[in-house]
Amino acid sequence: MADRRRRPAKSKKLTPMMRQYTRIKAEFPDTILFFRMGDFYEMFGDDAKVASDVLGIALTSREKGEKAVPMAGVPYHAADSYLARLIKAGLNVAVCDQTEDPAKAKGIVKREVVRVITPGTVYEENIVPADSNVYLASVCRAGEWLGVAYADVSTGEFAVDRIPHDRLLAELNRLTPREILFHREQNEVEKALHKEFASVDSVSLVPLDAADFDPSVLAAELAKLFDTEADTLEGKAWLGAACGLYAYLNRTQRGNLGQFRSIRDNALSETLAIDSRSLRNLEILSSISGGRKLSLRGVCDYTSTAMGSRMLRQWLAGPLTDIEHIRFRQQAVESFSDDTKLRSALIAEIKGMCDVERVTARAAAARANPRDLAALRTSLEKVKVLSGLLEAAPYPLDEFGSRLDHMPQLLAVLNETIVDDPPVHVGDGQLVRDGVNEELDKLRDIMSGGKTWIAQYQRTEGKRAGIPKLKVGYNSVFGYYIEVTKTHVDKVPEDYIRKQTLVNAERYITPELKEYENRVLSAREQIEQIESTIFRETRDKVARETSALYRLAELLASLDVLAGFSRLAEEKSFCIPEVHDGIETELIDCRHPVVEDNLPSGEFVPNDTRMDREKLIHIITGPNMSGKSTYIRQVAQAVILAQAGAPVPAAKASVGLVNRLLTRIGAGDDLARGRSTFMVEMLETAEILASATPRSLIILDEVGRGTSTFDGLSLAWAITEYIHDTRTCNARTLFATHYHELTELASVKDSVQNYKVLVREWEDEIVFLHRIEPGFSDRSYGIHVGRLANLPDEVIKRADKILRSLEKQSLDIEGKPRNVQMRKGHKQKEVQLLLFESPHEHILDKIRDCEPEKLTPLEALEYITRLKRELEE
């Protein structure tokens, strides 16, 4: 992405304010500077030009002529929407606020950058998606390992792990970070990241200096952030990456990292490894077209909160590999299914809760507003009810109940301090309850008594001056005033001081009215100051409970997902699977949940799958459009759901634990990197063979179809043999193919089994039954699919004729290509496939039509002579 940020233009003579701006801008040369001036954020120079272009706002200038400096601005209270557009355009923004009261400032108001907003460090509600995390990731080589750290500023998550080099891109793609930090001197890491992400607009690559990754410099600060001892971090392979992440966060957040309270180790190692390609091909988190509705996540999302939706995404992208943990989730789902009244009551309470995780993060970073605290108060009230519901529930829901803490002391503070319906911003209305602060109550009495005082003063002055229509008013420009129409001006008392002349009236002020105005305005200002102080103190009390609130948010999100799983099982007839540490896998009447969801009720045909040592590799053949691809995908989705602790779309299921899910599905080139469709296919297959273990599940769809028939068949055959014969691989495999010759492997490889998709033929038509059964197909019915696609009739007829011609020819004595060693005594003969019609086809037709038994010897001789003559012609 081209860098549109440039240094500001310099002017020879600058005002004090512009000197301040230039000094601050020099610290952030590659960043748009939002410079607070009153109720606006202003931008100058090239920043203004870029912002005007991206945001579509007016470009003006501060002065005219040669001294003109381009200028553009956005309202302070609407800044978030403009920030969102700048960040989306790939720009970073430094927010420079006024750090002192302009009314009390001597000279230029003090300003400083309070935060630098980058794609990976946003927390604004209108920028970050409610149902997904926004991650910032950091990568650093550590010996034979790679250290990875990632964080979400909006939730306070900070996680670390060490991974082998070959898992880097898969794990980063699964996290989908907005920014990736890397050590600029580690060339192999930089090269891998650029190769994978340089052309991805949604990912920014940020090189950092070696000092940012140096534990000797930053480990102590990192330990202090997480309230731990520095020696507990020593020797960790991820420490350099964590330091780089901390350094970047500290710079962009200007040291304000209160939302980060704990560091989670082994964040990537405890889950089923699913690379981004498999997540995409299997449409786990989103459909191929990018939408969420037609994905596994979309079908399974019965959550009621943003917290729950984010957690569901995490569970599906990283299913568990620990059986006890899986079983704990399953038992919770079963408990909800056994007590639907409890489930309904829980959902009713959770639905009204705020995003506790993100509200807590904002409070810890001193960015929560009054309504955030009011929403948190409501949520804690509901947690109190929820805890009571669950404490009497069966295991393991009772564990959730005992761990749910509604934090009575914090709840009491929020109830006693914040009004029921506070404004969004301090100063926009009453925020603090009456009775909290005695001085505040007195000032409010002054304000509330204002209308009475003004009415009384208006009557008194009208009577004193003998002016019946005398009026006392107020506006924000002139303050309080007495208005007298022109017809009564001669009656105005001598102590009235003219303030403003209108067309039909004069406005005056009196010493008494001015004194009252000062008292009211002072009261309003003091009220805002006192309320602001009380609000900050209350928010700080929330921030002190950050760790406990994060734990609460995690429990609530988990309950939300688990209750949703229970509804999923009930409403879509999913079952709770048995998950064990063997490799035997059995799925009875399994369905593809997304396909089933988008078919008329009852049209989806379920299928069984059984995999064990004797049925380790399934070769699945059948016609185009018959459901082979759907079948292999539904098995993979069932495994993911099972290990996420979710119910699966089957009547009965038993799943042997999988450590890695590997897929080769679909066709697509990578022209930007000079890779053809077939090269991409082979690279992905090579990665699968290098990564697979006996605990893996491999999904192959039409491997080898991107090249010539013999090349592709040979590769597909050899790949299948390799999976079967290689002890370190030997993984459960589903291979959907049109290479019918592969079915011969079942006769020479003990663990290979053939399966076919049933088809019913009727005259020239076929009916897809979508039923998988043992056996193999020897036809693909591709011409039939061409007919369904409305290819021209002459193409269909010609293809059918060529097909019959090819089928009559053989590649060996058995009448088909054979890769299994020939039986003793058989000799293979080479035959050239005839893809084009012979020029003597009409003579062959005459021979086929001839009935020699009806010819006399003389007629037969004459017939042969005629044919010979035609051949010679």
Side-chain angles (χ1 to χ4, degrees):
M1 180 180 296
D3 193 345
R4 308 174 66 177
R5 299 161 292 186
R6 294 170 292 184
R7 296 177 182 274
K10 293 184 177 180
S11 178
K12 292 181 180 179
K13 295 182 179 180
L14 299 175
T15 64
M17 189 277 295
M18 284 304 293
R19 282 200 299 272
Q20 182 188 51
Y21 170 84
T22 303
R23 175 181 57 78
I24 295 172
K25 176 62 184 175
E27 298 179 40
F28 303 91
D30 298 325
T31 304
I32 299 292
L33 181 62
F34 264 32
F35 191 74
R36 178 77 181 273
M37 295 179 65
D39 290 333
F40 283 81
Y41 280 120
E42 300 290 358
M43 291 156 281
F44 300 97
D46 286 342
D47 282 3
K49 294 177 182 178
V50 171
S52 173
D53 181 38
V54 173
L55 302 176
I57 57 177
L59 184 66
T60 61
S61 63
R62 187 164 179 81
E63 297 181 46
K64 303 298 180 183
E66 294 181 0
K67 296 182 178 181
V69 177
M71 176 179 176
V74 298
Y76 166 72
H77 286 302
D80 284 0
S81 63
Y82 294 103
L83 284 171
R85 289 155 66 185
L86 290 170
I87 296 300
K88 188 175 181 180
L91 300 167
N92 296 341
V93 181
V95 179
C96 180
D97 275 338
Q98 298 171 169
T99 55
E100 67 173 337
D101 187 344
K104 298 178 180 179
K106 295 181 179 180
I108 296 299
V109 177
K110 291 180 182 179
R111 295 178 176 88
E112 65 180 55
V113 171
V114 297
R115 179 173 166 233
V116 179
I117 306 173
T118 69
T121 60
V122 292
Y123 63 76
E124 283 74 11
E125 288 182 87
N126 66 323
I127 302 179
V128 296
D131 57 1
S132 298
N133 290 93
V134 176
Y135 285 126
L136 168 71
S138 172
V139 181
C140 183
R141 187 184 63 240
E144 63 180 10
W145 296 95
L146 283 176
V148 176
Y150 59 94
D152 183 343
V153 172
S154 72
T155 64
E157 181 181 4
F158 196 112
V160 293
D161 206 344
R162 66 171 195 177
I163 59 172
H165 287 244
D166 63 355
R167 277 187 61 184
L168 174 64
L169 300 181
E171 293 299 345
L172 288 177
N173 273 307
R174 181 163 64 166
L175 287 171
T176 61
R178 301 287 182 88
E179 285 183 280
I180 303 174
L181 316 174
F182 63 91
H183 193 309
R184 68 169 73 248
E185 296 176 14
Q186 294 182 353
N187 296 332
E188 75 285 3
V189 174
E190 180 178 5
K191 184 177 179 181
L193 291 174
H194 273 279
K195 193 173 184 180
E196 184 74 10
F197 298 109
S199 61
V200 181
D201 289 340
S202 60
V203 178
S204 297
L205 299 177
V206 183
L208 300 181
D209 294 331
D212 288 327
F213 294 93
D214 188 352
S216 66
V217 177
L218 295 170
E221 293 183 37
L222 187 68
K224 184 178 180 181
L225 175 65
F226 295 114
D227 194 23
T228 187
E229 298 298 326
D231 56 9
T232 63
L233 307 179
E234 289 181 6
K236 300 290 187 180
W238 45 257
L239 184 55
C243 287
L245 186 61
Y246 166 77
Y248 190 75
L249 285 170
N250 198 43
R251 277 199 296 273
T252 57
Q253 306 306 297
R254 313 301 283 172
N256 189 5
L257 301 178
Q259 68 266 51
F260 297 106
R261 294 301 174 93
S262 63
I263 187 168
R264 182 161 59 95
D265 197 356
N266 299 317
L268 304 173
S269 304
E270 299 172 348
T271 59
L272 164 60
I274 314 173
D275 58 41
S276 61
R277 183 175 60 251
S278 297
L279 287 172
R280 181 177 62 254
N281 290 338
L282 296 172
E283 299 182 295
I284 303 303
L285 304 178
S286 63
S287 65
I288 296 296
S289 61
R292 204 185 86 179
K293 183 178 179 182
L294 299 179
S295 68
L296 183 65
R297 180 188 180 193
V299 170
C300 297
D301 193 348
Y302 280 73
T303 59
S304 301
T305 67
M307 295 181 293
S309 189
R310 289 197 301 273
M311 181 159 284
L312 172 64
R313 186 191 187 283
Q314 293 171 5
W315 286 10
L316 292 179
L320 300 169
T321 54
D322 180 85
I323 292 177
E324 288 187 12
H325 198 170
I326 293 171
R327 186 56 190 152
F328 180 85
R329 290 181 184 176
Q330 290 178 332
Q331 287 176 307
V333 175
E334 290 171 333
S335 296
F336 277 128
S337 295
D338 291 340
D339 192 342
T340 56
K341 287 185 178 180
L342 172 63
R343 184 184 70 196
S344 297
L346 177 136
I347 291 172
E349 295 299 328
I350 282 182
K351 269 186 177 178
M353 292 184 182
C354 68
D355 192 332
V356 175
E357 188 176 36
R358 283 185 168 162
V359 167
T360 301
R362 290 198 291 273
R367 293 169 185 138
N369 61 44
R371 287 198 182 164
D372 284 333
L373 300 196
L376 180 61
R377 174 181 61 201
T378 301
S379 298
L380 292 177
E381 294 280 11
K382 289 179 172 295
V383 169
K384 184 177 180 181
V385 176
L386 201 56
S387 178
L389 287 171
L390 293 174
E391 282 180 349
Y395 176 85
L397 297 183
D398 59 341
E399 281 201 14
F400 281 100
S402 63
R403 293 164 60 193
L404 284 175
D405 181 5
H406 71 278
M407 311 181 73
Q409 292 182 331
L410 178 61
L411 179 58
V413 168
L414 293 172
N415 270 325
E416 292 165 4
T417 306
I418 307 298
V419 297
D420 291 341
D421 187 19
V424 176
H425 303 289
V426 177
D428 288 351
Q430 184 173 347
L431 164 61
V432 178
R433 291 189 189 277
D434 293 335
V436 172
N437 182 283
E438 185 177 351
E439 178 64 20
L440 182 62
D441 291 343
K442 289 180 180 178
L443 292 167
R444 281 181 180 152
D445 286 341
I446 294 174
M447 296 294 294
S448 63
K451 290 183 179 180
T452 303
W453 189 92
I454 290 294
Q456 179 61 41
Y457 184 74
Q458 182 173 295
R459 286 193 296 272
T460 300
E461 287 301 303
K463 186 176 182 180
R464 178 168 79 95
I467 304 173
K469 293 186 177 181
L470 179 145
K471 183 177 73 174
V472 177
Y474 172 85
N475 68 39
S476 58
V477 177
F478 293 100
Y480 285 97
Y481 57 82
I482 299 171
E483 185 173 295
V484 178
T485 61
K486 289 288 179 76
T487 56
H488 296 287
V489 168
D490 58 339
K491 300 178 182 178
V492 169
E494 293 183 359
D495 59 339
Y496 278 29
I497 304 169
R498 182 180 282 106
K499 192 170 189 178
Q500 185 184 15
T501 298
L502 304 178
V503 175
N504 297 314
E506 295 285 345
R507 287 179 176 176
Y508 303 88
I509 188 73
T510 65
E512 186 179 8
L513 187 59
K514 187 63 178 177
E515 180 184 353
Y516 175 77
E517 177 183 285
N518 292 336
R519 190 164 68 247
V520 169
L521 293 178
S522 175
R524 182 180 291 120
E525 184 178 329
Q526 289 179 65
I527 287 172
E528 184 173 331
Q529 289 176 349
I530 293 173
E531 286 205 323
S532 180
T533 299
I534 293 173
F535 170 70
R536 287 196 301 271
E537 290 172 350
T538 306
R539 186 174 61 190
D540 288 345
K541 290 176 182 178
V542 173
R544 286 195 285 273
E545 301 295 338
T546 295
S547 296
L549 286 167
Y550 279 156
R551 289 193 297 271
L552 174 62
E554 184 177 7
L555 289 170
L556 292 171
S558 298
L559 283 167
D560 191 10
V561 177
L562 294 168
F565 281 167
S566 173
R567 290 180 58 202
L568 172 69
E570 179 181 306
E571 295 184 21
K572 295 190 181 295
S573 298
F574 284 25
C575 75
I576 301 296
E578 175 195 3
V579 180
H580 56 85
D581 59 5
I583 68 161
E584 296 78 14
T585 297
E586 183 178 47
L587 302 169
I588 306 300
D589 285 343
C590 186
R591 294 111 57 199
H592 190 297
V594 181
V595 175
E596 181 183 40
D597 227 35
N598 288 277
L599 287 175
S601 179
E603 283 198 7
F604 191 90
V605 178
N607 278 291
D608 299 345
T609 301
R610 292 179 177 85
M611 306 184 82
D612 53 33
R613 279 293 167 204
E614 294 181 356
K615 300 175 181 177
L616 195 68
I617 300 175
H618 292 193
I619 304 293
I620 304 138
T621 53
N624 287 295
M625 302 286 291
S626 62
K628 299 190 303 297
S629 295
T630 298
Y631 170 72
I632 60 177
R633 284 169 167 83
Q634 73 190 32
V635 173
Q637 290 188 350
V639 168
I640 289 172
L641 287 171
Q643 292 190 211
V648 301
K652 183 180 179 182
S654 176
V655 176
L657 209 62
V658 172
N659 71 344
R660 208 159 197 178
L661 179 59
L662 302 159
T663 65
R664 160 85 282 278
I665 297 173
D669 55 32
D670 191 352
L671 296 179
R673 301 177 197 172
R675 298 172 179 175
S676 67
T677 300
F678 187 63
M679 173 57 82
V680 171
E681 182 180 328
M682 289 298 100
L683 286 170
E684 292 179 358
T685 305
E687 184 181 329
I688 289 172
L689 298 182
S691 305
T693 73
R695 275 284 182 194
S696 301
L697 174 62
I698 299 175
I699 303 296
L700 302 175
D701 196 0
E702 301 299 346
V703 170
R705 300 298 290 183
T707 186
S708 71
T709 301
F710 291 125
D711 278 354
L713 174 57
S714 301
L715 283 165
W717 187 285
I719 288 165
T720 308
E721 282 188 335
Y722 181 90
I723 295 171
H724 183 279
D725 296 343
T726 306
R727 184 175 56 82
T728 55
C729 184
N730 202 222
R732 283 163 282 183
T733 302
L734 296 174
F735 191 164
T737 182
H738 283 292
Y739 287 136
H740 306 123
E741 296 78 14
L742 287 182
T743 60
E744 295 184 21
L745 276 165
S747 65
V748 291
K749 298 297 180 183
D750 295 338
S751 297
V752 175
Q753 296 288 318
N754 290 325
Y755 291 86
K756 65 180 179 180
V757 187
L758 294 184
V759 173
R760 178 175 296 158
E761 297 190 48
W762 178 256
E763 296 179 348
D764 289 335
E765 299 296 323
I766 63 171
V767 178
F768 299 133
L769 301 180
H770 305 294
R771 176 70 66 185
I772 307 291
E773 288 194 356
F776 61 88
S777 298
D778 57 4
R779 296 182 62 190
S780 293
Y781 299 93
I783 294 174
H784 177 77
V785 175
R787 184 181 292 114
L788 292 176
N790 292 319
L791 285 176
D793 286 343
E794 55 267 32
V795 172
I796 297 298
K797 291 176 181 178
R798 175 65 178 142
D800 193 52
K801 193 170 186 179
I802 292 171
L803 177 63
R804 287 200 303 271
S805 176
L806 294 175
E807 288 177 340
K808 288 175 182 176
Q809 300 173 74
S810 62
L811 298 175
D812 61 23
I813 198 166
E814 297 295 326
K816 58 184 177 182
R818 290 191 65 87
N819 294 304
V820 177
Q821 185 176 354
M822 300 301 296
R823 289 192 292 273
K824 188 175 181 180
H826 285 189
K827 294 182 179 180
Q828 185 156 336
K829 59 182 180 180
E830 300 288 340
V831 177
Q832 175 65 42
L833 292 177
L834 299 178
L835 296 180
F836 302 97
E837 189 174 280
S838 167
H840 308 303
E841 186 69 25
H842 66 291
I843 296 177
L844 295 174
D845 288 341
K846 288 181 179 181
I847 294 173
R848 294 188 190 102
D849 295 339
C850 177
E851 300 179 55
E853 69 278 2
K854 295 182 181 181
L855 299 176
T856 66
L858 182 59
E859 288 173 335
L861 182 60
E862 289 176 350
Y863 190 75
I864 293 172
T865 301
R866 284 198 306 272
L867 292 178
K868 184 175 183 296
R869 190 180 302 118
E870 289 185 30
L871 283 171
E872 291 172 348
E873 293 175 353

